[in-house]
Amino acid sequence: MNDWPDGWTGDRDNRGDRYGRGSAGAQPEGARAMPHVQPRGVPRQSQGYDQGYEPGYDSGYNTGQVYGSPPGGGDGRNGGGPPPPPSGPPAPRYAPDWRRRIKIGALTLVVVVLGVSIGTYFWADSKLQREVDLSKVIERPEAGDGTNYLIVGSDSREGMSAEEKKKLHTGSADGKRTDSMMILHDGSNGPTLISLPRDSNVTIPSFRGSESGKLFPNTGRQTKLNAAYAEDGPELLVRTVEFNTGLHIDHYVEIGFAGFANIVDAIGGVEIDIPKAFKDKKSGADFQAGKQTLNGEQSLAFVRTRYAFANSDLDRTKNQQKFLAALASQTATPGTILNPFKLYPTMGAGLDTLIVDKDMSLWSLGQMFFAMKGVTGGDGKSMNMPISGSVGGNLVWDKAKVKELVNQLNNDEKVTVSGN
């Protein structure tokens, strides 16, 4: 009886010529060539392709499955493993394209800046109080070259608490009156700022009531300029200025006490040089001579003081011009414009209390602001309306000089007329 597996050739007597247990051969038993015996589940291997299999049999060579390994590779114990690493050289590594990155970064920055700018513009534009309707002003003079702004500082106490009124020395009078009036001409020969003393003697012309629409004829009545505002508001004030000067007013801008003080505080104060010390109990002013930085409360006292000066309202208007030019100059700086922590509080403080005409755009307001800055930048001029005397305590304008001044402004010529 042959106790060797079927398919083996040879006999026991020839075992010494083979490899196995007790063999003296040089190769181990496991290395014997066994051409007719294959491990269970392992296909017969040939020279790189399958031979002799029944149809449908998959040797596993097409999928990388060898010797019974499960799909996906591995040792068969955990259901597979990662595929073998790809053969061949590694993929090339390219240097970063810095030009492209810089272009993308620059484009992103431009888009962000543009978006913020547009958003800021519409936010600020929406805050403007366009309450003055200049279309109600009748018999207006023809417009000349350049742009004329009527800038009014009112003593409005609207929105102020009792504590704020006391702190700012504003009193508690109802309603509002004009505390300062100026014409700012912006033209090709530089800006010109002309103060209109509130005690100027003027004629109240015919006008149409801003609320009633009723026509009031000209009776030749003469009064102080600020009385026109008290009688029928901004529309009558514009009508009175145009009638007594012959100058067309393009835009109207008004700011109250609270807004003025808030703007100064928002930019951290305004530095100004006071040549001579003065004190005024009514306005709360108490200043020493020399350069100093004024906060909102001090600034309001500075521009309102009149009783401490020999020339009263004329000296006050000079201080108002000086301060407003300094305010504009110190506000229109990169430190304010490029700093959102200063820009937005400053704009918010001013725009919340600013009253303008219905045709005023934010762009026009910005032009006015920079023209105001140019008054002290060497390109502009500031002056009072020329005065020839007084009547009944009111200041009388010099008609000849006023006419010459208006002609120069209408023709956008360099202003040579001097004021008081």
Side-chain angles (χ1 to χ4, degrees):
M1 178 177 178
N2 189 354
D3 55 356
W4 290 93
D6 295 338
W8 281 75
T9 60
D11 53 23
R12 293 187 177 194
D13 296 334
N14 295 327
R15 284 182 302 179
D17 297 332
R18 306 185 185 280
Y19 307 103
R21 186 181 299 114
S23 172
Q27 293 185 348
E29 182 179 8
R32 269 184 279 171
M34 302 171 70
H36 301 291
V37 178
Q38 297 290 331
R40 182 170 299 176
V42 179
R44 178 181 301 175
Q45 300 182 24
S46 62
Q47 298 177 354
Y49 53 90
D50 298 335
Q51 287 183 341
Y53 299 112
E54 297 180 359
Y57 177 80
D58 184 2
S59 69
Y61 274 83
N62 293 331
T63 62
Q65 181 180 348
V66 182
Y67 292 104
S69 298
D75 57 8
R77 292 175 297 178
N78 297 321
S87 59
R93 303 182 69 178
Y94 298 99
D97 189 348
W98 290 109
R99 289 186 179 181
R100 183 172 179 271
R101 293 186 180 186
I102 292 174
K103 287 181 180 180
I104 293 175
L107 180 60
T108 302
L109 180 61
V110 169
V111 171
V112 170
V113 171
L114 186 62
V116 171
S117 300
I118 294 175
T120 299
Y121 181 91
F122 284 103
W123 166 78
D125 188 74
S126 67
K127 294 179 76 67
L128 284 178
Q129 302 181 57
R130 296 181 173 91
E131 299 178 1
V132 180
D133 189 356
L134 296 183
S135 67
K136 295 181 179 180
V137 181
I138 63 173
E139 302 176 17
R140 308 191 66 186
E142 292 185 5
D145 296 331
T147 304
N148 299 315
Y149 302 86
L150 180 59
I151 304 172
V152 174
S154 76
D155 64 359
S156 172
R157 298 153 178 85
E158 183 178 354
M160 297 175 64
S161 65
E163 183 179 352
E164 289 174 326
K165 292 176 183 178
K166 182 178 180 180
K167 178 182 178 181
L168 298 177
H169 299 271
T170 63
S172 300
D174 294 330
K176 59 181 180 179
R177 287 150 292 278
T178 53
D179 209 55
S180 62
M181 290 162 285
M182 302 178 186
I183 294 174
L184 175 63
H185 174 81
D186 186 20
S188 58
N189 280 290
T192 302
L193 184 62
I194 308 162
S195 287
L196 309 176
R198 54 180 272 174
D199 294 338
S200 297
N201 192 76
V202 295
T203 299
I204 300 296
S206 58
F207 68 95
R208 192 175 298 279
S210 58
E211 298 295 335
S212 65
K214 180 181 177 181
L215 181 63
F216 295 87
N218 181 359
T219 61
R221 175 167 57 98
Q222 294 187 325
T223 185
K224 293 180 179 182
L225 179 60
N226 66 338
Y229 182 95
E231 186 173 334
D232 198 47
E235 288 84 358
L236 179 55
L237 178 61
V238 171
R239 167 70 174 137
T240 302
V241 170
E242 289 187 340
F243 178 83
N244 286 270
T245 63
L247 188 68
H248 181 90
I249 300 299
D250 297 291
H251 292 294
Y252 177 92
V253 181
E254 176 187 325
I255 189 168
F257 283 161
F260 180 82
N262 290 340
I263 291 175
V264 175
D265 286 335
I267 66 170
V270 173
E271 184 181 65
I272 196 165
D273 188 5
I274 301 177
K276 185 178 179 180
F278 65 90
K279 187 175 183 178
D280 181 23
K281 184 178 180 180
K282 289 190 175 182
S283 68
D286 187 2
F287 299 106
Q288 300 298 316
K291 285 187 177 181
Q292 48 205 288
T293 299
L294 308 184
N295 60 24
E297 177 185 350
Q298 294 169 325
S299 300
L300 190 57
F302 180 81
V303 300
R304 294 185 62 223
T305 298
R306 58 185 300 199
Y307 296 105
F309 307 126
N311 291 323
S312 186
D313 206 34
L314 289 177
D315 286 339
R316 177 171 73 164
T317 56
K318 293 177 182 178
N319 278 346
Q320 290 172 346
Q321 292 176 349
K322 181 177 181 179
F323 185 87
L324 290 179
L327 174 63
S329 179
Q330 294 173 40
T331 303
T333 62
T336 298
I337 296 176
L338 300 179
N339 184 353
F341 297 103
K342 272 194 173 183
L343 176 63
Y344 287 100
T346 301
M347 294 179 66
L351 297 174
D352 280 341
T353 59
L354 207 63
I355 297 175
V356 299
D357 64 273
K358 292 187 175 182
D359 294 327
M360 172 71 86
S361 67
L362 194 62
W363 177 258
S364 296
L365 187 63
Q367 287 182 310
M368 183 203 79
F369 185 78
F370 281 96
M372 182 77 73
K373 178 183 178 182
V375 170
T376 56
D379 298 328
K381 178 178 182 177
S382 61
M383 59 182 288
N384 279 327
M385 187 65 78
I387 303 297
S388 61
S390 63
V391 56
N394 297 342
L395 299 173
V396 178
W397 294 350
D398 187 320
K399 292 184 178 180
K401 285 188 175 182
V402 169
K403 183 177 181 180
E404 183 181 1
L405 172 64
V406 170
N407 284 337
Q408 290 176 346
L409 295 177
N410 278 333
N411 295 324
D412 206 13
E413 300 173 351
K414 187 175 180 62
V415 174
T416 59
V417 177
S418 60
N420 298 76

